[in-house]
Amino acid sequence: MSQVLPDDAPPVHDLIGIGFGPSNVAMAIALGEHNARVDGRESLSAHFFEQQPRFGWHRGMLIDDATMQVSFLKDLVTLRNPASEFSFLCYLQSRDRLIDFINHKNLFPLRVEFHDYFEWAAAKVDDQVSYGHEVVSVTPVVHDGAVDHLDVTVRSEEGLRVHRARNLVIGTGLRPLVPEGVERGERVWHNSDLLRKVEALEGASPSRFVVVGAGQSAAESVAYLHRCFPRAEVCAVFSRYGYSPADDSSFANRIFDPGAVDDYFAAPDGVKDRLMAYHGNTNYSVVDIDLIDDLYRQMYREKVLGTERLRFLNVSRVAGVEETPDGVRATVESLVTGEETLLDSDVVVFATGYSPADPVGLLGEVADRCLRDDEGRLRVERDYRIATDPGLRCGIYLQGGTEHTHGITTSLLSNTAIRVGEILDSLLGSGLKSTSDEARPAVRGTA
């Protein structure tokens, strides 16, 4: 195993970020804008570590005609700082597409375009991030029984190096979720790998795909495979009678307002549960109505023409998948009758969502100092800081994994700009001051 590299005078950062997806890109921007406004004594030093070799956000689902489900105004900065040079509008201007976008009369950009915006923004703050660096552990630095610093061990091609921080912000994103007992492989995919896996099929002539799931990603996967493989049958399997439309009406969208986070945080647990039940259809297992209509229209057209390639096996579930020498066999069970249908397919795609990464999985013994509620969930303060025992004076902030305390926006873009502003305010409110002999600017790639 690699040895820890010597470092006689490691910098002490006010903040170390784990992961560099959109949320922590927004955090880096907020920190940079703050530091540009103040003198050196009030600036905050920060560095982020990302295990991917470059920025990437759901690359496997950047389907060419898929659009965002969130307004472009809910970008990385606008709700926090409408004058920011990191806004989506500034990105459009830099790409010479601002007028074209205005003429398009659309609030919802292509997903591939928004990803390009994220890459553009991430590149403008790349002095704050080390790509290809994986955080492998966090250990407390104990002095007189108290912890004022955390040592973050990071692995890269050069080996292991320890970095010291007063605070952490964890933005490790979501993990693809497949049903228990299902193993992903060459013929059993999660939709997060869709485009990469389809690319590997170039030159092949698949005859059947099975897509499992009832949400937006499932419907997009069905439409994409049906379009890209004009000789293949595409079978959609879900437990409902049909796709449910997303409620994106003006009043329902208030659940994504910054003020709704205050309401949710202050609400009793019973009210929290009811709010999630009322408004889950704004985000979970729902599909844009235009896509629903397109799929139904296509299915009906094929029935009329007698060329059915698009099949919907509703009120059903996949009871099992078994790889065979020539493909994969999916056993589809009717939830009404229990009757089983065997579908010999080239590929089964599970568009079955994501689960949050364990936010304290890297914290080791530090996790033992994090407080939990009666149900074993992390206690998280309004400023997204994990509640800890008094001896741990470092702040550990979460960007994600806070749905039980902060509501539905915890892993969504809708509130990202506001959230990082609140975390920044919390850092400043803790009285942090970086000194020239204790903290110094990070060097790209070595921090």
Side-chain angles (χ1 to χ4, degrees), residues 18 134-139 168 170-172 175 356-368 370 372 378 386 396 398:
I18 304 176
E134 178 187 8
V135 173
V136 295
S137 67
V138 175
T139 55
L168 298 180
I170 302 175
T172 47
R175 300 292 180 267
D358 180 5
V360 296
L362 296 170
L363 298 186
E365 61 185 280
V366 177
D368 297 333
C370 298
R372 296 182 179 270
L378 287 172
I386 297 175
I396 303 174
L398 298 182

Side-chain angles (χ1 to χ4, degrees), residues 190-384:
H190 186 272
N191 69 277
S192 58
D193 292 323
L194 184 69
L195 296 188
R196 181 175 63 86
K197 293 285 193 179
V198 164
E199 216 173 90
L201 293 178
E202 186 175 353
S205 298
S207 59
R208 177 182 284 156
F209 293 92
V210 174
V211 179
V212 185
Q216 180 73 22
S217 293
E220 288 178 356
S221 298
V222 168
Y224 176 74
L225 293 170
H226 186 268
R227 170 166 55 93
C228 289
F229 297 94
R231 297 184 179 181
E233 181 181 270
V234 180
C235 301
V237 181
F238 41 75
S239 58
R240 307 180 181 197
Y241 270 95
Y243 299 115
S244 297
D247 186 355
D248 61 352
S249 59
S250 300
F251 284 112
N253 275 342
R254 287 180 169 179
I255 193 68
F256 303 114
D257 289 356
V261 178
D262 292 324
D263 294 338
Y264 192 92
F265 187 84
D269 286 344
V271 175
K272 284 183 169 73
D273 293 340
R274 287 160 64 185
L275 287 172
M276 290 300 293
Y278 293 153
H279 296 292
N281 65 344
T282 59
N283 183 62
Y284 300 115
S285 296
V286 289
V287 181
D288 285 347
I289 188 63
D290 289 344
L291 180 53
I292 294 174
D293 290 343
D294 286 344
L295 287 171
Y296 193 90
R297 189 178 300 114
Q298 182 65 38
M299 178 196 71
Y300 186 77
R301 181 188 303 120
E302 291 181 358
K303 279 192 172 184
V304 171
L305 298 175
T307 58
E308 292 181 59
R309 290 195 303 113
L310 190 55
R311 295 176 57 195
F312 294 92
L313 289 78
N314 57 7
V315 200
S316 300
R317 72 181 186 97
V318 170
V321 291
E322 178 186 358
E323 293 208 38
T324 66
D326 301 320
V328 58
R329 173 170 291 177
T331 302
V332 179
E333 178 187 0
S334 167
L335 297 178
V336 176
T337 66
E339 179 183 356
E340 292 185 347
T341 301
L342 300 180
L343 295 177
D344 288 319
S345 312
D346 295 273
V347 171
V348 176
V349 181
F350 283 91
T352 44
Y354 297 82
S355 60
D358 180 5
V360 296
L362 296 170
L363 298 186
E365 61 185 280
V366 177
D368 297 333
R369 294 174 175 262
C370 298
L371 305 183
R372 296 182 179 270
D373 63 19
D374 293 339
E375 296 184 32
R377 302 171 300 188
L378 287 172
R379 285 175 50 189
V380 186
E381 306 294 349
R382 176 60 185 85
D383 59 1
Y384 300 94

